[in-house]
PDB file of all heavy atoms in Angstrom:
ATOM      1  N   GLN A   1      -6.345   4.413   2.854  1.00 92.00           N
ATOM      2  CA  GLN A   1      -7.185   5.256   2.032  1.00 92.00           C
ATOM      3  C   GLN A   1      -7.602   6.471   2.740  1.00 92.00           C
ATOM      4  O   GLN A   1      -7.477   7.606   2.157  1.00 92.00           O
ATOM      5  CB  GLN A   1      -8.338   4.444   1.459  1.00 92.00           C
ATOM      6  CG  GLN A   1      -9.028   5.173   0.328  1.00 92.00           C
ATOM      7  CD  GLN A   1      -8.210   5.173  -1.016  1.00 92.00           C
ATOM      8  OE1 GLN A   1      -7.611   4.139  -1.379  1.00 92.00           O
ATOM      9  NE2 GLN A   1      -8.171   6.247  -1.639  1.00 92.00           N
ATOM     10  N   PRO A   2      -8.228   6.441   3.950  1.00 94.00           N
ATOM     11  CA  PRO A   2      -8.742   7.610   4.604  1.00 94.00           C
ATOM     12  C   PRO A   2      -7.781   8.742   4.830  1.00 94.00           C
ATOM     13  O   PRO A   2      -7.996   9.965   4.687  1.00 94.00           O
ATOM     14  CB  PRO A   2      -9.383   7.097   5.855  1.00 94.00           C
ATOM     15  CG  PRO A   2      -9.657   5.709   5.593  1.00 94.00           C
ATOM     16  CD  PRO A   2      -8.573   5.193   4.741  1.00 94.00           C
ATOM     17  N   SER A   3      -6.482   8.325   5.185  1.00 94.00           N
ATOM     18  CA  SER A   3      -5.463   9.280   5.632  1.00 94.00           C
ATOM     19  C   SER A   3      -4.461   9.581   4.523  1.00 94.00           C
ATOM     20  O   SER A   3      -3.768  10.611   4.507  1.00 94.00           O
ATOM     21  CB  SER A   3      -4.697   8.809   6.816  1.00 94.00           C
ATOM     22  OG  SER A   3      -3.926   7.621   6.597  1.00 94.00           O
ATOM     23  N   GLY A   4      -4.281   8.688   3.580  1.00 90.00           N
ATOM     24  CA  GLY A   4      -3.278   8.812   2.537  1.00 90.00           C
ATOM     25  C   GLY A   4      -1.948   8.221   2.986  1.00 90.00           C
ATOM     26  O   GLY A   4      -0.996   8.348   2.223  1.00 90.00           O
ATOM     27  N   ARG A   5      -1.806   7.689   4.217  1.00 92.00           N
ATOM     28  CA  ARG A   5      -0.538   7.203   4.636  1.00 92.00           C
ATOM     29  C   ARG A   5      -0.074   6.053   3.731  1.00 92.00           C
ATOM     30  O   ARG A   5      -0.901   5.197   3.362  1.00 92.00           O
ATOM     31  CB  ARG A   5      -0.604   6.710   6.083  1.00 92.00           C
ATOM     32  CG  ARG A   5      -0.488   7.783   7.117  1.00 92.00           C
ATOM     33  CD  ARG A   5      -0.446   7.258   8.579  1.00 92.00           C
ATOM     34  NE  ARG A   5      -1.722   6.715   8.943  1.00 92.00           N
ATOM     35  CZ  ARG A   5      -2.720   7.504   9.512  1.00 92.00           C
ATOM     36  NH1 ARG A   5      -2.552   8.737   9.630  1.00 92.00           N
ATOM     37  NH2 ARG A   5      -3.830   6.971   9.880  1.00 92.00           N
ATOM     38  N   THR A   6       1.226   6.039   3.379  1.00 90.00           N
ATOM     39  CA  THR A   6       1.674   5.075   2.417  1.00 90.00           C
ATOM     40  C   THR A   6       2.744   4.167   3.109  1.00 90.00           C
ATOM     41  O   THR A   6       3.593   4.610   3.849  1.00 90.00           O
ATOM     42  CB  THR A   6       2.396   5.795   1.255  1.00 90.00           C
ATOM     43  OG1 THR A   6       1.416   6.643   0.639  1.00 90.00           O
ATOM     44  CG2 THR A   6       2.844   4.810   0.186  1.00 90.00           C
ATOM     45  N   TYR A   7       2.688   2.893   2.776  1.00 91.00           N
ATOM     46  CA  TYR A   7       3.625   1.901   3.290  1.00 91.00           C
ATOM     47  C   TYR A   7       4.277   1.171   2.112  1.00 91.00           C
ATOM     48  O   TYR A   7       3.712   1.171   0.963  1.00 91.00           O
ATOM     49  CB  TYR A   7       2.906   0.834   4.150  1.00 91.00           C
ATOM     50  CG  TYR A   7       2.215   1.501   5.372  1.00 91.00           C
ATOM     51  CD1 TYR A   7       0.942   2.028   5.273  1.00 91.00           C
ATOM     52  CD2 TYR A   7       2.934   1.598   6.621  1.00 91.00           C
ATOM     53  CE1 TYR A   7       0.311   2.591   6.396  1.00 91.00           C
ATOM     54  CE2 TYR A   7       2.316   2.162   7.767  1.00 91.00           C
ATOM     55  CZ  TYR A   7       1.034   2.696   7.661  1.00 91.00           C
ATOM     56  OH  TYR A   7       0.453   3.244   8.696  1.00 91.00           O
ATOM     57  N   ASN A   8       5.413   0.563   2.341  1.00 87.00           N
ATOM     58  CA  ASN A   8       6.027  -0.269   1.359  1.00 87.00           C
ATOM     59  C   ASN A   8       6.508  -1.496   1.985  1.00 87.00           C
ATOM     60  O   ASN A   8       7.211  -1.505   3.011  1.00 87.00           O
ATOM     61  CB  ASN A   8       7.167   0.470   0.715  1.00 87.00           C
ATOM     62  CG  ASN A   8       7.733  -0.251  -0.594  1.00 87.00           C
ATOM     63  OD1 ASN A   8       8.347  -1.333  -0.422  1.00 87.00           O
ATOM     64  ND2 ASN A   8       7.442   0.217  -1.712  1.00 87.00           N
ATOM     65  N   LEU A   9       6.204  -2.620   1.376  1.00 87.00           N
ATOM     66  CA  LEU A   9       6.550  -3.955   2.034  1.00 87.00           C
ATOM     67  C   LEU A   9       8.082  -4.249   2.052  1.00 87.00           C
ATOM     68  O   LEU A   9       8.511  -5.141   2.722  1.00 87.00           O
ATOM     69  CB  LEU A   9       5.754  -5.046   1.349  1.00 87.00           C
ATOM     70  CG  LEU A   9       4.225  -4.985   1.359  1.00 87.00           C
ATOM     71  CD1 LEU A   9       3.601  -6.174   0.740  1.00 87.00           C
ATOM     72  CD2 LEU A   9       3.729  -4.711   2.751  1.00 87.00           C
ATOM     73  N   THR A  10       8.802  -3.435   1.244  1.00 81.00           N
ATOM     74  CA  THR A  10      10.238  -3.660   1.216  1.00 81.00           C
ATOM     75  C   THR A  10      10.952  -2.842   2.219  1.00 81.00           C
ATOM     76  O   THR A  10      11.864  -3.280   2.925  1.00 81.00           O
ATOM     77  CB  THR A  10      10.752  -3.307  -0.202  1.00 81.00           C
ATOM     78  OG1 THR A  10      10.112  -4.114  -1.162  1.00 81.00           O
ATOM     79  CG2 THR A  10      12.270  -3.546  -0.323  1.00 81.00           C
ATOM     80  N   PHE A  11      10.639  -1.497   2.249  1.00 78.00           N
ATOM     81  CA  PHE A  11      11.447  -0.607   3.193  1.00 78.00           C
ATOM     82  C   PHE A  11      10.675   0.216   4.152  1.00 78.00           C
ATOM     83  O   PHE A  11      11.211   0.897   4.987  1.00 78.00           O
ATOM     84  CB  PHE A  11      12.318   0.385   2.259  1.00 78.00           C
ATOM     85  CG  PHE A  11      11.508   1.193   1.344  1.00 78.00           C
ATOM     86  CD1 PHE A  11      10.871   2.343   1.720  1.00 78.00           C
ATOM     87  CD2 PHE A  11      11.360   0.792  -0.008  1.00 78.00           C
ATOM     88  CE1 PHE A  11      10.132   3.074   0.841  1.00 78.00           C
ATOM     89  CE2 PHE A  11      10.684   1.638  -0.893  1.00 78.00           C
ATOM     90  CZ  PHE A  11      10.054   2.749  -0.448  1.00 78.00           C
ATOM     91  N   ASN A  12       9.328   0.059   4.177  1.00 85.00           N
ATOM     92  CA  ASN A  12       8.473   0.793   5.117  1.00 85.00           C
ATOM     93  C   ASN A  12       7.306  -0.021   5.479  1.00 85.00           C
ATOM     94  O   ASN A  12       6.172   0.380   5.295  1.00 85.00           O
ATOM     95  CB  ASN A  12       8.131   2.222   4.566  1.00 85.00           C
ATOM     96  CG  ASN A  12       7.335   3.028   5.509  1.00 85.00           C
ATOM     97  OD1 ASN A  12       7.545   3.006   6.717  1.00 85.00           O
ATOM     98  ND2 ASN A  12       6.381   3.829   4.988  1.00 85.00           N
ATOM     99  N   LYS A  13       7.536  -1.135   6.065  1.00 91.00           N
ATOM    100  CA  LYS A  13       6.417  -2.061   6.358  1.00 91.00           C
ATOM    101  C   LYS A  13       5.519  -1.572   7.499  1.00 91.00           C
ATOM    102  O   LYS A  13       6.001  -0.873   8.426  1.00 91.00           O
ATOM    103  CB  LYS A  13       6.988  -3.451   6.794  1.00 91.00           C
ATOM    104  CG  LYS A  13       7.760  -4.185   5.738  1.00 91.00           C
ATOM    105  CD  LYS A  13       8.219  -5.563   6.204  1.00 91.00           C
ATOM    106  CE  LYS A  13       8.968  -6.318   5.165  1.00 91.00           C
ATOM    107  NZ  LYS A  13       9.382  -7.641   5.659  1.00 91.00           N
ATOM    108  N   PRO A  14       4.251  -1.916   7.437  1.00 94.00           N
ATOM    109  CA  PRO A  14       3.377  -1.559   8.594  1.00 94.00           C
ATOM    110  C   PRO A  14       3.752  -2.502   9.769  1.00 94.00           C
ATOM    111  O   PRO A  14       4.346  -3.592   9.578  1.00 94.00           O
ATOM    112  CB  PRO A  14       2.007  -1.888   8.031  1.00 94.00           C
ATOM    113  CG  PRO A  14       2.164  -2.897   7.016  1.00 94.00           C
ATOM    114  CD  PRO A  14       3.489  -2.539   6.363  1.00 94.00           C
ATOM    115  N   LYS A  15       3.479  -2.033  10.994  1.00 95.00           N
ATOM    116  CA  LYS A  15       3.788  -2.841  12.157  1.00 95.00           C
ATOM    117  C   LYS A  15       3.078  -4.109  12.160  1.00 95.00           C
ATOM    118  O   LYS A  15       3.620  -5.206  12.554  1.00 95.00           O
ATOM    119  CB  LYS A  15       3.516  -2.077  13.464  1.00 95.00           C
ATOM    120  CG  LYS A  15       4.401  -0.766  13.610  1.00 95.00           C
ATOM    121  CD  LYS A  15       3.868   0.089  14.793  1.00 95.00           C
ATOM    122  CE  LYS A  15       4.669   1.357  14.862  1.00 95.00           C
ATOM    123  NZ  LYS A  15       4.184   2.291  15.969  1.00 95.00           N
ATOM    124  N   VAL A  16       1.816  -4.086  11.715  1.00 95.00           N
ATOM    125  CA  VAL A  16       1.030  -5.320  11.609  1.00 95.00           C
ATOM    126  C   VAL A  16       0.661  -5.470  10.068  1.00 95.00           C
ATOM    127  O   VAL A  16       0.155  -4.513   9.440  1.00 95.00           O
ATOM    128  CB  VAL A  16      -0.307  -5.222  12.382  1.00 95.00           C
ATOM    129  CG1 VAL A  16      -1.167  -6.473  12.211  1.00 95.00           C
ATOM    130  CG2 VAL A  16       0.088  -5.026  13.875  1.00 95.00           C
ATOM    131  N   GLU A  17       0.976  -6.639   9.555  1.00 94.00           N
ATOM    132  CA  GLU A  17       0.735  -6.838   8.135  1.00 94.00           C
ATOM    133  C   GLU A  17      -0.721  -6.488   7.660  1.00 94.00           C
ATOM    134  O   GLU A  17      -1.601  -7.005   8.248  1.00 94.00           O
ATOM    135  CB  GLU A  17       1.061  -8.322   7.747  1.00 94.00           C
ATOM    136  CG  GLU A  17       0.999  -8.585   6.280  1.00 94.00           C
ATOM    137  CD  GLU A  17       1.399  -9.951   5.910  1.00 94.00           C
ATOM    138  OE1 GLU A  17       1.852 -10.745   6.775  1.00 94.00           O
ATOM    139  OE2 GLU A  17       1.200 -10.381   4.744  1.00 94.00           O
ATOM    140  N   GLY A  18      -0.744  -5.683   6.697  1.00 94.00           N
ATOM    141  CA  GLY A  18      -2.049  -5.264   6.114  1.00 94.00           C
ATOM    142  C   GLY A  18      -2.859  -4.301   6.933  1.00 94.00           C
ATOM    143  O   GLY A  18      -4.005  -4.045   6.527  1.00 94.00           O
ATOM    144  N   LYS A  19      -2.267  -3.704   7.986  1.00 96.00           N
ATOM    145  CA  LYS A  19      -3.029  -2.803   8.862  1.00 96.00           C
ATOM    146  C   LYS A  19      -2.299  -1.431   8.991  1.00 96.00           C
ATOM    147  O   LYS A  19      -1.076  -1.399   9.082  1.00 96.00           O
ATOM    148  CB  LYS A  19      -3.220  -3.387  10.288  1.00 96.00           C
ATOM    149  CG  LYS A  19      -3.905  -4.679  10.345  1.00 96.00           C
ATOM    150  CD  LYS A  19      -5.340  -4.652   9.868  1.00 96.00           C
ATOM    151  CE  LYS A  19      -6.077  -5.971  10.064  1.00 96.00           C
ATOM    152  NZ  LYS A  19      -7.519  -5.927   9.679  1.00 96.00           N
ATOM    153  N   ASP A  20      -3.102  -0.361   9.027  1.00 96.00           N
ATOM    154  CA  ASP A  20      -2.521   0.967   9.248  1.00 96.00           C
ATOM    155  C   ASP A  20      -1.949   1.059  10.692  1.00 96.00           C
ATOM    156  O   ASP A  20      -2.584   0.600  11.661  1.00 96.00           O
ATOM    157  CB  ASP A  20      -3.569   1.990   9.056  1.00 96.00           C
ATOM    158  CG  ASP A  20      -3.136   3.387   9.343  1.00 96.00           C
ATOM    159  OD1 ASP A  20      -2.067   3.848   8.806  1.00 96.00           O
ATOM    160  OD2 ASP A  20      -3.756   4.089  10.101  1.00 96.00           O
ATOM    161  N   ASP A  21      -0.784   1.682  10.804  1.00 96.00           N
ATOM    162  CA  ASP A  21      -0.092   1.752  12.134  1.00 96.00           C
ATOM    163  C   ASP A  21      -0.925   2.540  13.111  1.00 96.00           C
ATOM    164  O   ASP A  21      -0.871   2.256  14.301  1.00 96.00           O
ATOM    165  CB  ASP A  21       1.292   2.452  11.954  1.00 96.00           C
ATOM    166  CG  ASP A  21       2.321   1.469  11.324  1.00 96.00           C
ATOM    167  OD1 ASP A  21       1.975   0.291  11.122  1.00 96.00           O
ATOM    168  OD2 ASP A  21       3.441   1.995  11.018  1.00 96.00           O
ATOM    169  N   ILE A  22      -1.608   3.558  12.677  1.00 95.00           N
ATOM    170  CA  ILE A  22      -2.322   4.491  13.563  1.00 95.00           C
ATOM    171  C   ILE A  22      -3.713   3.962  13.915  1.00 95.00           C
ATOM    172  O   ILE A  22      -4.088   3.933  15.116  1.00 95.00           O
ATOM    173  CB  ILE A  22      -2.425   5.874  12.956  1.00 95.00           C
ATOM    174  CG1 ILE A  22      -1.035   6.419  12.488  1.00 95.00           C
ATOM    175  CG2 ILE A  22      -3.094   6.811  13.912  1.00 95.00           C
ATOM    176  CD1 ILE A  22      -0.043   6.533  13.638  1.00 95.00           C
ATOM    177  N   THR A  23      -4.443   3.607  12.910  1.00 96.00           N
ATOM    178  CA  THR A  23      -5.924   3.183  13.214  1.00 96.00           C
ATOM    179  C   THR A  23      -6.137   1.717  13.244  1.00 96.00           C
ATOM    180  O   THR A  23      -7.237   1.277  13.699  1.00 96.00           O
ATOM    181  CB  THR A  23      -6.784   3.826  12.112  1.00 96.00           C
ATOM    182  OG1 THR A  23      -6.438   3.209  10.836  1.00 96.00           O
ATOM    183  CG2 THR A  23      -6.555   5.321  11.956  1.00 96.00           C
ATOM    184  N   GLY A  24      -5.204   0.950  12.727  1.00 96.00           N
ATOM    185  CA  GLY A  24      -5.456  -0.503  12.584  1.00 96.00           C
ATOM    186  C   GLY A  24      -6.368  -0.895  11.480  1.00 96.00           C
ATOM    187  O   GLY A  24      -6.746  -2.073  11.355  1.00 96.00           O
ATOM    188  N   GLU A  25      -6.773   0.126  10.697  1.00 96.00           N
ATOM    189  CA  GLU A  25      -7.726  -0.181   9.551  1.00 96.00           C
ATOM    190  C   GLU A  25      -6.955  -0.850   8.412  1.00 96.00           C
ATOM    191  O   GLU A  25      -5.731  -0.741   8.322  1.00 96.00           O
ATOM    192  CB  GLU A  25      -8.411   1.125   9.110  1.00 96.00           C
ATOM    193  CG  GLU A  25      -9.305   1.718  10.170  1.00 96.00           C
ATOM    194  CD  GLU A  25      -9.846   3.093   9.809  1.00 96.00           C
ATOM    195  OE1 GLU A  25      -9.256   3.756   8.861  1.00 96.00           O
ATOM    196  OE2 GLU A  25     -10.807   3.524  10.429  1.00 96.00           O
ATOM    197  N   PRO A  26      -7.674  -1.556   7.566  1.00 96.00           N
ATOM    198  CA  PRO A  26      -7.017  -2.280   6.475  1.00 96.00           C
ATOM    199  C   PRO A  26      -6.313  -1.362   5.475  1.00 96.00           C
ATOM    200  O   PRO A  26      -6.787  -0.290   5.171  1.00 96.00           O
ATOM    201  CB  PRO A  26      -8.107  -3.152   5.855  1.00 96.00           C
ATOM    202  CG  PRO A  26      -9.364  -2.400   6.208  1.00 96.00           C
ATOM    203  CD  PRO A  26      -9.109  -1.708   7.565  1.00 96.00           C
ATOM    204  N   LEU A  27      -5.170  -1.845   4.950  1.00 95.00           N
ATOM    205  CA  LEU A  27      -4.502  -1.161   3.845  1.00 95.00           C
ATOM    206  C   LEU A  27      -4.919  -1.753   2.530  1.00 95.00           C
ATOM    207  O   LEU A  27      -5.387  -2.950   2.474  1.00 95.00           O
ATOM    208  CB  LEU A  27      -2.967  -1.371   4.035  1.00 95.00           C
ATOM    209  CG  LEU A  27      -2.362  -0.837   5.303  1.00 95.00           C
ATOM    210  CD1 LEU A  27      -0.830  -1.221   5.385  1.00 95.00           C
ATOM    211  CD2 LEU A  27      -2.579   0.638   5.473  1.00 95.00           C
ATOM    212  N   THR A  28      -4.862  -0.907   1.507  1.00 94.00           N
ATOM    213  CA  THR A  28      -5.283  -1.385   0.182  1.00 94.00           C
ATOM    214  C   THR A  28      -4.213  -1.039  -0.860  1.00 94.00           C
ATOM    215  O   THR A  28      -3.343  -0.165  -0.567  1.00 94.00           O
ATOM    216  CB  THR A  28      -6.614  -0.717  -0.269  1.00 94.00           C
ATOM    217  OG1 THR A  28      -6.435   0.713  -0.245  1.00 94.00           O
ATOM    218  CG2 THR A  28      -7.744  -1.117   0.663  1.00 94.00           C
ATOM    219  N   GLN A  29      -4.244  -1.697  -1.954  1.00 90.00           N
ATOM    220  CA  GLN A  29      -3.345  -1.442  -3.095  1.00 90.00           C
ATOM    221  C   GLN A  29      -4.192  -0.821  -4.211  1.00 90.00           C
ATOM    222  O   GLN A  29      -5.205  -1.348  -4.571  1.00 90.00           O
ATOM    223  CB  GLN A  29      -2.593  -2.635  -3.555  1.00 90.00           C
ATOM    224  CG  GLN A  29      -1.551  -2.375  -4.639  1.00 90.00           C
ATOM    225  CD  GLN A  29      -0.842  -3.557  -5.074  1.00 90.00           C
ATOM    226  OE1 GLN A  29      -1.464  -4.673  -5.256  1.00 90.00           O
ATOM    227  NE2 GLN A  29       0.503  -3.526  -5.193  1.00 90.00           N
ATOM    228  N   ARG A  30      -3.682   0.286  -4.737  1.00 87.00           N
ATOM    229  CA  ARG A  30      -4.396   0.876  -5.887  1.00 87.00           C
ATOM    230  C   ARG A  30      -4.354  -0.036  -7.034  1.00 87.00           C
ATOM    231  O   ARG A  30      -3.393  -0.746  -7.272  1.00 87.00           O
ATOM    232  CB  ARG A  30      -3.704   2.227  -6.229  1.00 87.00           C
ATOM    233  CG  ARG A  30      -3.890   3.328  -5.203  1.00 87.00           C
ATOM    234  CD  ARG A  30      -3.006   4.516  -5.503  1.00 87.00           C
ATOM    235  NE  ARG A  30      -2.938   4.899  -6.908  1.00 87.00           N
ATOM    236  CZ  ARG A  30      -2.232   5.896  -7.326  1.00 87.00           C
ATOM    237  NH1 ARG A  30      -1.574   6.680  -6.505  1.00 87.00           N
ATOM    238  NH2 ARG A  30      -2.171   6.195  -8.625  1.00 87.00           N
ATOM    239  N   GLU A  31      -5.471   0.004  -7.790  1.00 85.00           N
ATOM    240  CA  GLU A  31      -5.597  -0.854  -8.995  1.00 85.00           C
ATOM    241  C   GLU A  31      -4.404  -0.620  -9.914  1.00 85.00           C
ATOM    242  O   GLU A  31      -3.901  -1.572 -10.559  1.00 85.00           O
ATOM    243  CB  GLU A  31      -6.938  -0.661  -9.749  1.00 85.00           C
ATOM    244  CG  GLU A  31      -8.077  -1.354  -9.046  1.00 85.00           C
ATOM    245  CD  GLU A  31      -7.898  -2.883  -8.982  1.00 85.00           C
ATOM    246  OE1 GLU A  31      -7.536  -3.450 -10.022  1.00 85.00           O
ATOM    247  OE2 GLU A  31      -8.193  -3.506  -7.947  1.00 85.00           O
ATOM    248  N   ASP A  32      -4.014   0.678 -10.102  1.00 85.00           N
ATOM    249  CA  ASP A  32      -2.987   0.954 -11.052  1.00 85.00           C
ATOM    250  C   ASP A  32      -1.555   0.770 -10.508  1.00 85.00           C
ATOM    251  O   ASP A  32      -0.582   1.081 -11.112  1.00 85.00           O
ATOM    252  CB  ASP A  32      -3.083   2.397 -11.633  1.00 85.00           C
ATOM    253  CG  ASP A  32      -3.147   3.475 -10.540  1.00 85.00           C
ATOM    254  OD1 ASP A  32      -3.001   3.106  -9.315  1.00 85.00           O
ATOM    255  OD2 ASP A  32      -3.316   4.657 -10.891  1.00 85.00           O
ATOM    256  N   ASP A  33      -1.490   0.191  -9.267  1.00 87.00           N
ATOM    257  CA  ASP A  33      -0.153  -0.230  -8.735  1.00 87.00           C
ATOM    258  C   ASP A  33       0.081  -1.708  -8.905  1.00 87.00           C
ATOM    259  O   ASP A  33       1.109  -2.156  -8.434  1.00 87.00           O
ATOM    260  CB  ASP A  33      -0.093   0.189  -7.247  1.00 87.00           C
ATOM    261  CG  ASP A  33       0.262   1.670  -6.997  1.00 87.00           C
ATOM    262  OD1 ASP A  33       0.584   2.348  -7.996  1.00 87.00           O
ATOM    263  OD2 ASP A  33       0.161   2.083  -5.833  1.00 87.00           O
ATOM    264  N   LYS A  34      -0.786  -2.360  -9.588  1.00 86.00           N
ATOM    265  CA  LYS A  34      -0.581  -3.822  -9.809  1.00 86.00           C
ATOM    266  C   LYS A  34       0.624  -4.088 -10.748  1.00 86.00           C
ATOM    267  O   LYS A  34       0.780  -3.275 -11.654  1.00 86.00           O
ATOM    268  CB  LYS A  34      -1.883  -4.453 -10.359  1.00 86.00           C
ATOM    269  CG  LYS A  34      -3.179  -4.282  -9.453  1.00 86.00           C
ATOM    270  CD  LYS A  34      -2.909  -5.176  -8.204  1.00 86.00           C
ATOM    271  CE  LYS A  34      -4.149  -4.926  -7.275  1.00 86.00           C
ATOM    272  NZ  LYS A  34      -5.361  -5.455  -7.797  1.00 86.00           N
ATOM    273  N   PRO A  35       1.314  -5.115 -10.525  1.00 88.00           N
ATOM    274  CA  PRO A  35       2.608  -5.409 -11.360  1.00 88.00           C
ATOM    275  C   PRO A  35       2.310  -5.403 -12.860  1.00 88.00           C
ATOM    276  O   PRO A  35       3.061  -4.826 -13.676  1.00 88.00           O
ATOM    277  CB  PRO A  35       3.003  -6.787 -10.899  1.00 88.00           C
ATOM    278  CG  PRO A  35       2.534  -6.865  -9.486  1.00 88.00           C
ATOM    279  CD  PRO A  35       1.180  -6.132  -9.465  1.00 88.00           C
ATOM    280  N   GLU A  36       1.163  -6.002 -13.273  1.00 90.00           N
ATOM    281  CA  GLU A  36       0.887  -6.082 -14.684  1.00 90.00           C
ATOM    282  C   GLU A  36       0.614  -4.720 -15.321  1.00 90.00           C
ATOM    283  O   GLU A  36       1.005  -4.444 -16.487  1.00 90.00           O
ATOM    284  CB  GLU A  36      -0.251  -7.111 -15.020  1.00 90.00           C
ATOM    285  CG  GLU A  36      -1.563  -6.654 -14.326  1.00 90.00           C
ATOM    286  CD  GLU A  36      -1.769  -7.245 -12.933  1.00 90.00           C
ATOM    287  OE1 GLU A  36      -0.721  -7.648 -12.330  1.00 90.00           O
ATOM    288  OE2 GLU A  36      -2.849  -7.307 -12.393  1.00 90.00           O
ATOM    289  N   VAL A  37       0.000  -3.847 -14.570  1.00 91.00           N
ATOM    290  CA  VAL A  37      -0.232  -2.502 -15.014  1.00 91.00           C
ATOM    291  C   VAL A  37       1.083  -1.761 -15.234  1.00 91.00           C
ATOM    292  O   VAL A  37       1.314  -1.132 -16.224  1.00 91.00           O
ATOM    293  CB  VAL A  37      -1.186  -1.734 -14.068  1.00 91.00           C
ATOM    294  CG1 VAL A  37      -1.317  -0.254 -14.498  1.00 91.00           C
ATOM    295  CG2 VAL A  37      -2.529  -2.398 -13.941  1.00 91.00           C
ATOM    296  N   TRP A  38       1.961  -1.786 -14.198  1.00 92.00           N
ATOM    297  CA  TRP A  38       3.231  -1.123 -14.311  1.00 92.00           C
ATOM    298  C   TRP A  38       4.164  -1.657 -15.289  1.00 92.00           C
ATOM    299  O   TRP A  38       4.894  -0.905 -15.990  1.00 92.00           O
ATOM    300  CB  TRP A  38       3.829  -1.009 -12.935  1.00 92.00           C
ATOM    301  CG  TRP A  38       3.326   0.200 -12.197  1.00 92.00           C
ATOM    302  CD1 TRP A  38       2.237   0.364 -11.482  1.00 92.00           C
ATOM    303  CD2 TRP A  38       3.982   1.493 -12.235  1.00 92.00           C
ATOM    304  NE1 TRP A  38       2.122   1.651 -11.049  1.00 92.00           N
ATOM    305  CE2 TRP A  38       3.175   2.331 -11.482  1.00 92.00           C
ATOM    306  CE3 TRP A  38       5.144   1.986 -12.797  1.00 92.00           C
ATOM    307  CZ2 TRP A  38       3.447   3.678 -11.343  1.00 92.00           C
ATOM    308  CZ3 TRP A  38       5.480   3.327 -12.537  1.00 92.00           C
ATOM    309  CH2 TRP A  38       4.611   4.141 -11.852  1.00 92.00           C
ATOM    310  N   THR A  39       4.146  -2.947 -15.470  1.00 93.00           N
ATOM    311  CA  THR A  39       4.977  -3.563 -16.490  1.00 93.00           C
ATOM    312  C   THR A  39       4.695  -3.007 -17.833  1.00 93.00           C
ATOM    313  O   THR A  39       5.512  -2.695 -18.668  1.00 93.00           O
ATOM    314  CB  THR A  39       4.881  -5.132 -16.462  1.00 93.00           C
ATOM    315  OG1 THR A  39       5.270  -5.628 -15.202  1.00 93.00           O
ATOM    316  CG2 THR A  39       5.739  -5.757 -17.582  1.00 93.00           C
ATOM    317  N   GLU A  40       3.333  -2.912 -18.151  1.00 94.00           N
ATOM    318  CA  GLU A  40       2.899  -2.340 -19.421  1.00 94.00           C
ATOM    319  C   GLU A  40       3.214  -0.910 -19.551  1.00 94.00           C
ATOM    320  O   GLU A  40       3.665  -0.378 -20.659  1.00 94.00           O
ATOM    321  CB  GLU A  40       1.427  -2.569 -19.564  1.00 94.00           C
ATOM    322  CG  GLU A  40       0.765  -2.090 -20.887  1.00 94.00           C
ATOM    323  CD  GLU A  40       1.443  -2.677 -22.074  1.00 94.00           C
ATOM    324  OE1 GLU A  40       1.877  -3.806 -22.044  1.00 94.00           O
ATOM    325  OE2 GLU A  40       1.468  -1.966 -23.107  1.00 94.00           O
ATOM    326  N   ARG A  41       3.070  -0.076 -18.488  1.00 93.00           N
ATOM    327  CA  ARG A  41       3.419   1.310 -18.528  1.00 93.00           C
ATOM    328  C   ARG A  41       4.873   1.525 -18.804  1.00 93.00           C
ATOM    329  O   ARG A  41       5.258   2.377 -19.624  1.00 93.00           O
ATOM    330  CB  ARG A  41       3.089   1.969 -17.172  1.00 93.00           C
ATOM    331  CG  ARG A  41       1.598   2.250 -16.880  1.00 93.00           C
ATOM    332  CD  ARG A  41       1.475   3.072 -15.616  1.00 93.00           C
ATOM    333  NE  ARG A  41       1.935   4.448 -15.794  1.00 93.00           N
ATOM    334  CZ  ARG A  41       1.926   5.291 -14.877  1.00 93.00           C
ATOM    335  NH1 ARG A  41       1.522   5.027 -13.611  1.00 93.00           N
ATOM    336  NH2 ARG A  41       2.413   6.567 -15.113  1.00 93.00           N
TER     337      ARG A  41
END
């Protein structure tokens, strides 16, 4: 969130699961990126 860096668990995974590569801070998923939201969209 602070830097805007984006990861993808399929083709651009973070080095440590759930952590930003640079700061080690936690990664989050946007509410509107949830599967049920996108399926409806």
Side-chain angles (χ1 to χ4, degrees):
Q1 194 72 43
S3 69
R5 280 186 288 276
T6 302
Y7 299 86
N8 190 287
L9 301 186
T10 302
F11 56 81
N12 182 34
K13 293 182 180 180
K15 294 173 184 176
V16 177
E17 184 177 349
K19 303 291 185 182
D20 176 51
D21 287 352
I22 307 299
T23 66
E25 294 171 345
L27 303 177
T28 58
Q29 186 178 45
R30 289 168 42 178
E31 281 299 316
D32 54 2
D33 278 353
K34 299 291 176 66
E36 57 273 18
V37 174
W38 270 85
T39 299
E40 179 59 29
R41 283 189 70 185

